[in-house]
Amino acid sequence: MEKTKQPYGTVLIKASHILDFLSSCDEPQSLNMIAKETGLTNSTALKILDTLLMIGYVQKNA
């Protein structure tokens, strides 16, 4: 039986899920909705979103 290789840096995959979800939306989304739709916890989604915000991939709606 062959083992499935786990990718290094699964946070990149999680970030990709967030970006894919946001790109499919016409309006800003709440943290709760982003977490729910991507299967992440609020804290994990927030950490990833903070990084995406820092590098300019997302914007925060005031």
Side-chain angles (χ1 to χ4, degrees), residues 15-46:
S16 174
H17 292 311
I18 290 174
L19 292 172
D20 288 345
F21 169 67
L22 291 175
S23 69
S24 72
C25 299
D26 292 330
E27 299 192 9
Q29 299 295 312
S30 68
L31 173 63
N32 287 337
M33 184 58 70
I34 294 168
K36 178 182 174 188
E37 293 296 319
T38 57
L40 301 172
T41 63
N42 282 7
S43 62
T44 298
L46 181 59

